[in-house]
Amino acid sequence: MGGEVCARMGTGFFTRLGNSWKKMERGLNETVSRSKIGRYFKLEARKSCFTRELRAGTATFLTMAYIITVNATIIADSGATCSVEDCSPPAGPDCLLRPNAGYEKCLSKVKADLIVGTALSSMIGSFAMGLLANLPLGLAPGMGANAYLAYNLVGFHGSGSMSYQTAMAVVLVEGCVFFVIAAFGLRAKLALLIPQPVRLATAAGIGLFIAFVGLQAHQGVGLVGPDSATLVTISACAETNPTTGECTGGKMRSPTFWLGFVGFVITSFGLVKGIKGSMIYGIIFVTLVSWLRGTSVTYFPDTPLGDSNYNYFQKVVDFHKIKSTLGAISFTHFNKSEVWIGLVTLLYFDVLATTGTLYTMAELGGFVDDQGGFEGEYRAYMVDAGATVVGSTLGVSPIATYVESSAGIREGGRTGLTAVIVAVYFFLSLFFIPLLSSVPPWAIGPSLVIVGVLMMKVVKDIDWNNMREAIPGFVTMLLMPLTYSISNGIIAGIGLYVALGLYDYATGWIKWLIETRRVVVREQNQVSATAGSEIVEMI
């Protein structure tokens, strides 16, 4: 009897509390909708309200927050502004590719700079998208473009064809070119110049490339490692050769791999169940376990570098000023062919990725009109290009509209207020750099593999029964991870598509010439016949 009374009392209390909250929420929504902010963002016109936009912005941020540490980790793999001069003595040219305390310390500082750059550029891009285009879309450095910049242009620890400063100059120029293209409305037309199977296969190929990166030791969980006989093999070793990275003992016995695998399962389970923010939950679990010192999976080993990182980590809240990557732009070596290939490739990423994502999100939100356009489209393109220019000055890869914005749109986000709220969350993250810079690679690796899974969805749209489309598409996907180059895959795919179509183009052109000649001869005969009849009549 007493339990039933308590239950009724509890039910009544929570009912009154719920009604009070709904009343407060209704009042808040009405106040905001009637204010200048509400009228500017057209809350009533788009049948939305402040609390719905708040939930949408929170959902979008949770699903894309992983990019803060993932992007910084990927770009830091290039070495960024670190060089041989940062290596501890005795230092030679090979100190960049071998364990070196001085170089690793420089990398940790650069990673902190890149975390700030990622959060800051994401904040500026998302805020501008909401304020100027009034669309519920979050912006951040794009996956794919960052991997291309880090592993193809600059190369792992600076082993590529250009310096980090030159690569940032390429990003800057690409952003400016993109801005001009967007201003003249040429973006959609340029996207159509790329053969459809290559366009579709590029997304899948980049997904395979990113997943391959996430499986390696330096950038991920370490499941895949080098082998002198087969190039690559299964690894996850407890002991590896510090020079070559080959397994020397304890295959599949790496504690950090198994911890990362648990994080992968957590993220996968969340995605299977449709739990929002699943990408971040696996990262958080693995990171929290890795923060415990004195374990085999700790991110802070008992070394001078580990002690230094742990001391910085203990600050928890700290505003880190960008020191090395801010304005790290150089046009000195801009006369190389690799620079122009990189420029065209990054431009290709931007044209395809943002155009496709914008239209997909617009359709999901019901913004597309009968003519195929949507309100704020022109400004959205301009914002995306402008954000890339800003990002280059902060030392990060091109900015893109994120497909994770769909999480917010599904929560009811219909205005730019959602994007502004996302920007506020990115701003708050700037004060927790000690925590964000202490996320280990084996926490990032599983999320990279999941990104690869999500990017593979477009494969179903390739017509595999048509060999003229299937072969270029397959080669595009295959070469990206196997040659460790995204541009190689794109170039090979386009080249194959053109080569396979040359016969059809040639025969079509010949048929056109023959038909044109017949028409000309027929007209000449008619003219001659007409002239002959006129002469006969005159006689």
Side-chain angles (χ1 to χ4, degrees):
M1 185 71 178
E4 294 178 0
V5 172
C6 290
R8 286 197 297 271
M9 289 176 62
T11 302
F13 171 76
F14 285 114
T15 300
R16 290 194 299 272
L17 184 64
N19 291 335
S20 299
W21 167 250
K22 289 180 181 179
K23 187 176 180 180
M24 290 173 58
E25 183 181 10
R26 191 181 305 112
L28 176 63
N29 287 332
E30 290 177 356
T31 301
V32 175
S33 296
R34 293 171 184 173
S35 66
K36 291 182 179 180
I37 294 175
R39 290 194 297 272
Y40 179 84
F41 288 108
K42 302 179 181 179
L43 288 175
E44 291 185 349
R46 296 190 182 180
K47 299 179 182 179
S48 187
C49 59
F50 173 73
T51 54
R52 186 179 298 169
E53 298 290 315
L54 178 61
R55 288 195 302 270
T58 303
T60 297
F61 177 77
L62 284 175
T63 54
M64 64 183 293
Y66 69 92
I67 194 60
I68 298 175
T69 51
V70 170
N71 183 66
T73 300
I74 289 175
I75 299 180
D77 276 340
S78 70
T81 55
C82 297
S83 64
V84 177
E85 297 176 357
D86 297 296
C87 293
S88 300
D94 60 344
C95 73
L96 305 182
L97 302 175
R98 293 184 178 184
N100 184 282
Y103 189 71
E104 290 175 1
K105 186 176 182 180
C106 178
L107 288 179
S108 64
K109 292 180 180 179
V110 162
K111 183 178 177 181
D113 286 351
L114 290 170
I115 287 175
V116 175
T118 300
L120 198 57
S121 60
S122 302
M123 180 195 77
I124 294 171
S126 299
F127 184 79
M129 181 64 77
L131 192 67
L132 301 178
N134 197 19
L135 290 171
L137 306 175
L139 274 69
M143 292 295 291
N146 56 5
Y148 176 70
L149 184 146
Y151 304 122
N152 294 155
L153 297 185
V154 184
F156 181 70
H157 288 184
S159 58
S161 59
M162 65 184 72
S163 67
Y164 172 78
Q165 290 84 348
T166 303
M168 285 300 107
V170 171
V171 175
L172 174 63
V173 173
E174 184 270 329
C176 294
V177 173
F178 196 23
F179 190 87
V180 173
I181 290 173
F184 284 96
L186 301 175
R187 189 169 191 165
K189 295 179 180 178
L190 282 178
L192 294 175
L193 292 177
I194 307 298
Q196 185 183 21
V198 178
R199 289 204 307 269
L200 296 172
T202 295
I206 292 173
L208 291 173
F209 181 86
I210 291 173
F212 184 50
V213 169
L215 292 176
Q216 296 176 56
H218 290 288
Q219 306 94 339
V221 295
L223 178 62
V224 174
D227 184 87
S228 57
T230 60
L231 297 182
V232 292
T233 185
I234 194 166
S235 183
C237 299
E239 299 176 1
T240 57
N241 186 317
T243 303
T244 64
E246 291 188 45
C247 184
T248 57
K251 185 172 287 189
M252 293 301 294
R253 294 182 183 179
S254 168
T256 55
F257 163 74
W258 289 110
L259 178 60
F261 176 73
V262 174
F264 177 78
V265 173
I266 291 173
T267 300
S268 301
F269 181 80
L271 291 172
V272 169
K273 296 298 181 181
I275 300 173
K276 295 181 178 64
S278 297
M279 289 286 286
I280 201 71
Y281 296 147
I283 295 176
I284 290 175
F285 172 79
V286 176
T287 300
L288 289 177
V289 176
S290 301
W291 283 346
L292 300 175
R293 299 200 79 176
T295 67
S296 59
V297 296
T298 183
Y299 187 60
F300 306 111
D302 294 323
T303 62
L305 180 61
D307 293 338
S308 176
N309 290 339
Y310 186 69
N311 291 334
Y312 181 61
F313 161 76
Q314 287 181 309
K315 291 183 178 180
V316 181
V317 177
D318 181 50
F319 184 81
H320 178 85
K321 294 182 180 179
I322 302 179
K323 299 176 181 178
S324 61
T325 60
L326 181 64
I329 296 173
S330 174
F331 292 91
T332 305
H333 303 288
F334 227 66
N335 55 347
K336 292 184 178 180
S337 60
E338 292 86 350
V339 168
W340 299 104
I341 293 174
L343 176 61
V344 172
T345 304
L346 289 176
L347 186 62
Y348 167 77
F349 283 153
D350 253 352
V351 169
L352 287 187
T354 304
T355 302
T357 303
L358 274 175
Y359 273 100
T360 302
M361 296 302 102
E363 289 177 355
L364 184 62
F367 304 134
V368 180
D369 55 29
D370 296 335
Q371 286 72 41
F374 55 91
E375 184 180 355
E377 177 183 4
Y378 180 78
R379 290 186 177 184
Y381 288 145
M382 301 289 282
V383 166
D384 187 271
T388 294
V389 174
V390 173
S392 67
T393 63
L394 296 173
V396 297
S397 53
I399 310 300
T401 303
Y402 262 58
V403 72
E404 283 81 357
S405 302
S406 60
I409 293 175
R410 289 193 179 98
E411 284 292 323
R414 292 295 181 271
T415 74
L417 191 56
T418 294
V420 171
I421 291 168
V422 172
V424 171
Y425 282 122
F426 276 117
F427 172 73
L428 293 176
S429 69
L430 290 171
F431 298 95
F432 296 94
I433 302 302
L435 299 182
L436 295 173
S437 62
S438 300
V439 178
W442 52 89
I444 302 298
S447 65
L448 295 181
V449 176
I450 293 295
V451 168
V453 173
L454 297 175
M455 295 182 74
M456 288 297 293
K457 292 186 292 186
V458 295
V459 171
K460 62 181 177 59
D461 297 324
I462 298 176
D463 186 2
W464 294 103
N465 294 319
N466 183 350
M467 288 297 104
R468 184 178 169 186
E469 293 192 1
I471 293 173
F474 177 75
V475 170
T476 300
M477 290 186 291
L478 184 68
L479 290 186
M480 286 185 183
L482 294 187
T483 65
Y484 220 72
S485 172
I486 294 171
S487 58
N488 285 348
I490 295 172
I491 293 171
I494 294 175
L496 260 178
Y497 186 86
V498 172
L500 293 176
L502 281 178
Y503 176 78
D504 293 336
Y505 295 145
T507 55
W509 187 66
I510 292 172
K511 289 179 180 178
W512 178 81
L513 286 177
I514 294 173
E515 187 62 31
T516 302
R517 185 177 181 280
R518 287 176 180 174
V519 172
V520 171
V521 170
R522 190 182 303 116
E523 290 180 352
Q524 288 177 345
N525 292 337
Q526 290 176 353
V527 171
S528 299
T530 303
S533 60
E534 290 178 353
I535 292 173
V536 170
E537 290 177 358
M538 290 175 63
I539 294 174

